[in-house]
Structures are given as structure tokens and as C-alpha cells.
Amino acid sequence: LYQRITAARAQRPGMKIVVIDPRRSPTCDSADLHLALAPGSDAFIFSGLLHFLQQHGHLDTDYIAEHTEGFADSLACAPDLATVARNTALSETQLNDFYQCFANTEKTLTFYSQGINQSATGTDKCNAIINCHLATGRIGRPGMGPFSITGQPNAMGGREVGGLANQLAAHMDFTPDNVARLRRFWHSDRVATTPGLKAVDMFEAIARGDIKAVWIMATNPLVSLPDSDRMRQALQRCELVVVSDCIEKTDTTACATVLLPAAGWGEKDGTVTNSERCISRQRAFLPLPGEARPDWWMLTEVAARMGYGEHFNYTGAAAIFREHAALSGFENGRQGGPRRLFDISALADLSDQNYADFQPRRWPLPATQSDSDEGGPRRLFADKRFFTESGRAHFIAVTPVLPAAAVPVAPLASPGTKAPRPGTFPAMILNTGRVRDQWHTMTRSARSPRLLQHIDAPYVALHPQDARQVGVGDGDLLRVHNDQGGLVLQVKLDDAQRRNEVFVPIHWNDQFSSHGRVNRLLAARTDPWSGQPESKFARVALSPVETTCWVHLTCRSAVDVSQFDYWVAVPTAQGWRYQLALTRDGQHGAAEPLQWLSAWLQALSQTYQKIEFIHSARSDYRALFYTEAGIQLGVFARPGREHLPAARQMEELLQQPVDSQSWRLLNGPQARHDDRLVCSCHQVAEGAITGAIRAGADNQEELGRRLRCGTQCGSCIPELKQLIRRTLAEKEVEETIHAGTPSVIPEARPSIRHSRAGESS
């Protein structure tokens, strides 16, 4: 989507882009305006926009009067500009610029995703956005409208089949008429009559013992749910836990009583539906491995063993789809019944071959429509009719509130003061989110070495000034904790981070890190309507972690590193790479680090030969363990990380031959910042990119021509632009210094290089 937006901007430079995000993320790179709002204050911005539109005469009063209801109540709750500024930490000028831009631009799209949804007031935030589009009549017309970007694939398809606890299949709810309709269609009295429990509520019921058996499919809730330590305890107490997954070892499968091997994405056959209601066939391109089976097959087999085989006698995905299509049209708008928009009954008699050959079609596709027709309307609500009893759209009155944990922010303590004890809450707000190359809880994406070459470890991003006050630097370990639990993460300095706030990625789990599972810090507060948890806001304390030894280790097979106080596991093309640390207050704090490490390695590598270097005075340990087949394990240890080899250098060790000169590999060149991979698709490192920029590739297109970076998936383009700006600025400063003091610089630079060379030797 970002690439489409930037391509549209290139074609129409007058197009305005506003990004609303507490952080200055790479998405801000093309923004005309970035509103770095206080976390959780989104509803104030859009409710305030409604007030602004009314105050300055930008409402579509005819549209409101003829096609909506409830506007007066919504307007009565809308705050004025000063109130919005006070609660969002934005200036009135910033807000006014955004409001004027929205008011004066008829074709306005509002894209929103988990930053809005994952909140205890997420429903209000969504409604506040929709209210603004209804008030200006900007809905159901080309180039305008509220646009929810879902956080899961096939989210629309999941809702079509009743994949939420408060829905029945085919867009039906739990009214008596709909329940009776399903009973008639399925010829069964065994139909749920009330909504089920949403995810967090379900785990609460498991913890109470109200639910004694649970079947978990295609999700990893012990990483993704809030208060995840307590959720794990609940699942461990559950009498029967069945887990279907395509990955054997996840945080959730560790609690399974029964583990079923499921088909993965490329092994499945079925349909998916996108956000414009377009149904597409998904065809398997890999055979089912081993005993892996599709979820539908498992369900039918269990049903048969429970005595319901005749009701679950499906022969394949096509048979299930035909029933799904038939249900969508069953008593739909006929015999005086209510009309449901979702209707694909024209596909109810699709043959197996026609299903196999199915081309993308947009619903609705009622049985009265010819199968050859393209499908339903390209755009809903173009006729200004809505799916309510009155046919009018409903404004929802929204009273904006800040997150429940949002208390007045006080300055951090000055440097040198005692770190806060667990359970206290200094002025730090935790925000969570995603990073470029990972997906959800990393169960699959972390198994691709290429996807871990850009960011390979969980981190906590904080502003450099906050870091100085806490007493940590870039790459140091920092404990992030509250009453829910604690994490130990590497510090990432980020001057685009708001002061008194930190950011932690959501992806890392207990399979790949010792202390990286961020949802253990999130309380189980949920939206009363959607059930979404408050995943974007928590209060946390920060405490520096003193390390006694850092270890970089690479090996051909996974090893048990749980005895280290801190560890991150990274799969590589040759095996595994580990970032390990011993800490002053850890389980081995009293031991001499190199002695403990040597003993640990001795137990690990008894069958290997080794080349070893030890400098006790510097606490410097380096070793290669090998067999006739080659190097099996390489390890470098120092008190600080700055003298350890970089990730790429560690991985290249396993590719080196073993000969009389192998000891030279123990020189272990120091970590180089410019070895960091920026373009994962074409394996282009930062050093190559900055070198090309200095050589004249001063724009993203030229970098693409020379190095190919940014020419495939495009996700590295924002970072390329940042590197261009930074490198050109550095080059300009250097040229200015050279021009002003030519006699000083040539003497200063070799001395720096000499000191580093002396240190490494």
C-alpha cells in the first residue's frame, strides 16, 4: 500500500499525505504532515475534526439530513480545538493544518489499522473516523472514504463464514430469526443461540475452569494475547488443549495435550476474500508433507468419531464452498425476510471443475444473477442507502477518552539516581508495533534467514535524551518492566521517538529470545464492543542491566542456551547464530565469566577439536571447534559488544576451510555498522549503499540502477531515502571541514584508525 501511495504521489505531486503516529516511522518519509500524537489519543483528533467541520461550514448538510441520523448527538460530544490539543500533545497549529487539509480536499481517504483497532476504545476511534466521512458525504464515491487495513489475511473471508465469536455464518447474528434460519438450513436443533467468548474472555474462562477443553487453530495466542504469562498459566491448567499448527515448536504448542500437523499456506486449497469483497481461489502449490492435513479435514474426522459423520461428510473444499454459497442465499430477502448483503448463492451449484477454474469475482452474487456477470457493485453505498432498518447511516456519539493507564507524565529522574524498583511506574509509556520483515509472532517468518538480516533481535527504541537519563547507550541491555512482567532488550537510540515513551516490536517469542515477548507487559483491558485488547499502551519502568560478558556464537545446529541470562537465537543459511550475555545480577553473577563460559563450551563440544585464544586480562575469549567436515562452532566473548565480530562475519565462519592457517580466523574483525543489511531482497548492506551515495548515486532510482536495492518489494525505500539524506549531509560537513582546515584532518583520521587497529590486534 505504501508503494502505491508513493507511486500515486509521483504521478500527482499535489496529493497530500498526512501520517498520524506517535513515532516517526519510515512511513512518514513521504508525509507532508506528521502528527506525532500522544499514544491513545486518536479519538480526540477525529472527534475534534467533526467539531471543526461544523464550526467552519464544511459539512454536507443535505447529505446529513437526507441519508443519516444521529448527527446532533455526535456533534454534542465533539471537543473544541483547545481540548484536542491538550489531550493529544499536538499544537493547535498542527491540528488546524490537518483539519484545513481534510476540509478542503474532497477526495480524502483515511487508512487505519492496528494503531486504531488495538485499543480498549478502538470502536470509538473507528466510529470517530467514519463520522467525519459521513458528515462530509465522502463515502461510497471514488477516491474517498474510511478504509480499514486489517491486521490479518483474509479478514473479510473470516467474517463471511462467521469467524468471530459474535457472528453466525453468512453475516448473520444471534437474533431468534437468524438462529431459526440456520436450524432450518442445517436441519439441526444444535445451533448456538448466544454469542461466544472473544479471545481474552475465553482465556479468562479457561483460567476459571469454566472451559475445560480448547482447540486452537492457526494462531499463537500465548504470544499475541495480552498478559501472556497469565494466559500461559491458564492454558497449562486446562484439561485438554488441542493445537493445530504447521510449525511444531511455538509458545502455544508447548502447552498442547494433542498436537495436530496442519497444512501450511502453500499447501492449502480454498478461497480468500479481500477488502473490496473480491473472492479469489487459493490453490496449493506444494504437496502435503508427512501427516499434515487441512483444518477442514481434521474437523470432519473428529466429527465422525463423535458420531456426527453424516453431517460432516464433505469430500473437499469445493463441497464446503457450495454449502457456504447456498447458505448465503437461504431465505435472503425472499418470502418477506430481511435482505443480507452477503449473497453468493449464484455459486451454490458450482461443479468441482468450475471451482478449480474459478476466477476472482466480487460479491454480492445472488442466484438471480447470471453466473457470467462480473459480480456485485464495485463500490457500496453509492446509492446512499445503508444496511440499517431505516436505510440511513448512523452517526455514533463518541466521547473521547485517553487510555485508562494514561496518567500525567513527569520527567525522568536525573542520571545517577537509583533505578525504579519493579512495580513502580516512572514517566514511560510503552507502544508496540511491527518491523519491516517480520509477521505476527515469527513462527514462520523467523525461519527465513534473509528476513532476519535487517533486524535480528528484539529491541527497545527510546530517545537519546531519555537514554542518557536512564544511563544506557546504543546496544546496551535495558530491563523494561511493570507489574505484569519484565523484558530485557537491546537499546536502539532513535531521535524520532517521542520523549518519555518507548517502542518495542511485537514479534519475538520464547522460541527466539529469552526476554522479548512484549505482550507479557500488557494488561488484559479490552474494548467492550470489539473485544480488542489495549495492545498499544502500557506504563513501564526502565532499569539498566549491567553485563559482565557478551558472547557471539555460531554453530551448525541449535544448542541449548537457556543457561545464559540473555539470549537471542537467529537462524542462518548454515545453521544458527546466537547473541548471548551474562549479567551482574543474573544466575551466574558471582562466577568469573570466562571460566563459566569455558566449562559450558567444554560440555557442548567434547567431540570437537578446537583452536582457542584467551586473553585473561582483557576477558577476551575466542575459539573455533571443528571436525574433518569443517568448522562446527565459532565463539567470541568480550565484556563489551563493540569488539565482537558482526553478524555477517560470524555467519561466514562456518563457510571457511579448516587448515594450518585457521587460527587467523580468531582475529575476529570488529563489528562494522555498515555491514548491516538494508535491502533483504538483493542482500545490499549499508556500507555499499553509503559508498554509492558518496560516489554520486544521490537518489533512490540511481541506487536501484547501481545496486538493485529497492527494486523488488520496495520495503527498504524509506530507509534508502533516510541514508541518502544522512550521507549527503555528512559529506557536506566533511567537505566544509576539509575546505576550512586542510592541515588538521589528514593527521586526525589516521590516528583514529591506528587506535582501532591497535585495539583489534
Side-chain angles (χ1 to χ4, degrees):
L1 178 64
Y2 175 83
Q3 300 307 325
R4 291 188 181 197
I5 290 172
T6 54
R9 158 70 72 79
Q11 295 295 320
R12 294 183 280 117
M15 188 178 80
K16 300 295 183 186
I17 299 174
V18 178
V19 175
I20 303 175
D21 194 327
R23 298 190 304 138
R24 184 170 182 82
S25 70
T27 308
C28 297
D29 184 69
S30 298
D32 297 284
L33 177 62
H34 171 214
L35 299 180
L37 77 168
S41 63
D42 316 74
F44 280 95
I45 288 185
F46 286 94
S47 292
L49 173 57
L50 188 67
H51 181 275
F52 177 92
L53 294 170
Q54 192 273 336
Q55 288 286 306
H56 294 82
H58 293 292
L59 299 175
D60 188 335
T61 53
D62 290 342
Y63 188 91
I64 293 171
E66 296 171 14
H67 306 293
T68 73
E69 55 191 50
F71 175 73
D73 291 340
S74 293
L75 186 61
C77 299
D80 60 20
L81 191 65
T83 302
V84 176
R86 186 169 60 254
N87 285 278
T88 60
L90 298 170
S91 70
E92 292 189 20
T93 300
Q94 288 176 302
L95 290 164
N96 191 71
D97 288 347
F98 168 51
Y99 290 171
Q100 289 283 3
C101 186
F102 187 99
N104 297 329
T105 309
E106 183 183 28
K107 291 195 172 183
T108 299
L109 279 165
T110 306
F111 294 102
Y112 56 96
S113 188
Q114 303 312 315
I116 292 289
N117 300 335
Q118 289 183 336
S119 165
T121 57
T123 304
D124 282 347
K125 294 174 183 178
C126 293
N127 281 324
I129 293 171
I130 294 169
N131 284 347
C132 294
H133 283 272
L134 286 174
T136 50
R138 296 174 185 175
I139 197 163
R141 298 161 60 197
M144 60 187 74
F147 197 115
S148 172
I149 311 168
T150 57
Q152 294 277 7
N154 195 32
M156 181 76 84
R159 284 149 179 77
E160 292 165 4
V161 297
L164 293 175
N166 58 350
Q167 286 185 335
L168 292 173
H171 283 197
M172 285 186 270
D173 56 20
F174 287 89
T175 62
D177 286 347
N178 282 331
V179 171
R181 185 172 295 108
L182 276 177
R183 285 173 173 165
R184 289 192 292 274
F185 180 81
W186 274 320
H187 307 290
S188 172
D189 290 332
R190 309 197 122 214
V191 173
T193 58
T194 57
L197 297 173
K198 301 182 179 74
V200 174
D201 296 333
M202 181 188 298
F203 272 76
E204 298 284 1
I206 293 172
R208 295 191 303 269
D210 296 344
I211 293 178
K212 302 183 184 302
V214 62
W215 190 348
I216 300 170
M217 292 183 173
T219 187
N220 192 12
L222 294 195
V223 181
S224 59
L225 286 181
D227 201 0
S228 52
D229 283 347
R230 193 163 64 92
M231 300 300 178
R232 172 175 293 177
Q233 293 169 5
L235 212 57
Q236 289 171 338
R237 291 197 295 265
C238 190
E239 294 181 20
L240 175 63
V241 178
V242 182
V243 181
S244 299
D245 209 309
C246 58
I247 299 296
E248 179 185 5
K249 293 182 179 180
T250 73
D251 289 40
T252 303
T253 61
C255 296
T257 315
V258 178
L259 181 58
L260 300 177
W265 173 73
E267 301 148 7
K268 288 183 178 181
D269 181 60
T271 65
V272 294
T273 307
N274 72 6
S275 291
E276 66 158 347
R277 316 178 315 283
C278 189
I279 303 171
S280 300
R281 279 280 283 115
Q282 179 175 306
R283 299 169 177 87
F285 57 85
L286 292 171
L288 289 168
E291 293 182 287
R293 295 292 183 270
D295 296 325
W296 70 263
W297 183 89
M298 298 185 202
L299 287 162
T300 59
E301 291 297 309
V302 169
R305 283 154 178 76
M306 292 175 70
Y308 302 109
E310 63 178 303
H311 301 291
F312 289 82
N313 57 349
Y314 304 104
T315 56
I320 298 171
F321 183 82
R322 284 191 288 268
E323 181 175 303
H324 169 51
L327 175 59
S328 73
F330 183 67
E331 298 180 2
N332 190 348
R334 290 178 280 280
Q335 290 93 36
R339 175 177 170 251
R340 304 185 304 277
L341 177 65
F342 178 67
D343 186 345
I344 56 171
S345 52
L347 308 175
D349 297 320
L350 222 56
S351 68
D352 287 0
Q353 187 59 51
N354 286 341
Y355 180 78
D357 297 337
F358 186 84
Q359 296 300 305
R361 304 279 297 282
R362 187 184 302 106
W363 60 259
L365 288 162
T368 55
Q369 181 172 292
S370 168
D371 185 55
S372 62
D373 290 348
E374 179 187 350
R378 187 167 198 79
R379 189 169 283 103
L380 292 182
F381 315 125
D383 59 358
K384 304 175 184 178
R385 296 286 296 171
F386 297 86
F387 297 96
T388 62
E389 289 187 11
S390 65
R392 292 169 173 258
H394 290 176
F395 280 93
I396 304 297
V398 172
T399 301
V401 295
L402 293 175
V407 300
V409 174
L412 282 167
S414 59
T417 58
K418 187 177 180 181
R421 61 181 177 81
T424 62
F425 301 90
M428 277 291 167
I429 294 171
L430 168 69
N431 183 17
T432 70
R434 311 181 190 212
V435 299
R436 192 187 79 189
D437 291 347
Q438 292 304 323
W439 174 251
H440 284 349
T441 64
M442 289 176 62
T443 51
R444 288 173 294 178
S445 55
R447 296 172 184 272
S448 168
R450 178 176 291 187
L451 294 179
L452 281 160
Q453 290 175 329
H454 181 243
I455 297 175
D456 61 2
Y459 64 86
V460 52
L462 70 162
H463 194 279
Q465 293 184 39
D466 289 342
R468 283 194 292 272
Q469 289 185 285
V470 175
V472 292
D474 202 45
D476 289 348
L477 291 185
L478 183 65
R479 181 171 287 105
V480 183
H481 53 99
N482 59 20
D483 285 340
Q484 302 287 134
L487 311 177
V488 176
L489 303 164
Q490 297 177 25
V491 171
K492 180 180 179 181
L493 299 183
D494 185 357
D495 58 9
Q497 179 72 38
R498 279 171 51 97
R499 292 292 313 277
N500 300 307
E501 297 173 11
V502 298
F503 171 83
V504 178
I506 65 169
H507 310 287
W508 273 265
N509 55 56
D510 290 353
Q511 313 303 310
F512 296 97
S513 66
S514 57
H515 302 88
R517 179 163 43 88
V518 68
N519 278 23
R520 71 197 325 169
L521 301 181
L522 304 177
R525 288 188 295 270
T526 58
D527 184 293
W529 300 100
S530 70
Q532 280 271 14
E534 185 88 83
S535 297
K536 298 289 185 180
F537 194 102
R539 299 280 298 172
V540 295
L542 306 181
S543 305
V545 176
E546 185 179 354
T547 56
T548 58
C549 182
W550 273 98
V551 182
H552 284 189
L553 182 148
T554 184
C555 49
R556 295 192 181 276
S557 58
V559 297
D560 181 5
V561 293
S562 59
Q563 294 183 59
F564 285 84
D565 301 318
Y566 169 87
W567 59 265
V568 174
V570 183
T572 69
Q574 287 75 40
W576 289 84
R577 176 169 55 81
Y578 295 91
Q579 301 175 41
L580 312 167
L582 300 175
T583 65
R584 184 74 61 191
D585 60 352
Q587 55 184 323
H588 310 293
E592 202 287 319
L594 292 192
Q595 291 180 2
W596 182 88
L597 178 63
S598 180
W600 182 80
L601 287 168
Q602 181 66 29
L604 184 69
S605 56
Q606 293 178 357
T607 60
Y608 299 153
Q609 299 182 66
K610 68 179 176 181
I611 306 169
E612 193 174 46
F613 169 85
I614 303 175
H615 193 312
S616 299
R618 290 183 177 175
S619 296
D620 184 352
Y621 179 88
R622 316 173 195 181
L624 297 176
F625 297 83
Y626 63 93
T627 64
E628 291 182 357
I631 296 174
Q632 303 299 309
L633 186 149
V635 59
F636 291 75
R638 291 294 300 272
R641 298 178 65 192
E642 64 273 14
H643 303 304
L644 293 175
R648 183 175 293 189
Q649 295 158 349
M650 289 297 297
E651 293 176 15
E652 289 172 352
L653 276 179
L654 300 184
Q655 303 174 32
Q656 304 300 321
V658 178
D659 55 32
S660 61
Q661 299 298 306
S662 291
W663 62 271
R664 295 180 181 274
L665 297 174
L666 294 181
N667 283 339
Q670 294 179 14
R672 288 166 49 92
H673 178 67
D674 58 9
D675 274 345
R676 186 179 64 89
L677 211 68
V678 174
C679 177
S680 299
C681 295
H682 295 296
Q683 304 285 283
V684 187
E686 183 174 326
I689 294 168
T690 56
I693 295 169
R694 289 177 175 274
D698 59 358
N699 59 73
Q700 179 256 315
E701 291 77 14
E702 182 59 28
L703 279 176
R705 282 190 286 271
R706 295 192 188 189
L707 303 176
R708 300 178 68 198
C709 52
T711 60
Q712 191 160 323
C713 79
S715 60
C716 65
I717 289 175
E719 191 167 353
L720 295 178
K721 292 179 178 178
Q722 292 173 354
L723 285 174
I724 291 169
R725 288 194 296 270
R726 190 188 76 193
T727 305
L728 292 179
E730 291 173 351
K731 185 179 178 183
E732 183 179 356
V733 171
E734 292 166 4
E735 290 172 349
T736 301
I737 294 174
H738 274 291
T741 54
S743 62
V744 175
I745 297 302
E747 296 175 5
R749 286 190 167 180
S751 69
I752 296 172
R753 292 198 183 102
H754 179 74
S755 67
R756 288 181 177 172
E759 174 66 19
S760 65
S761 63

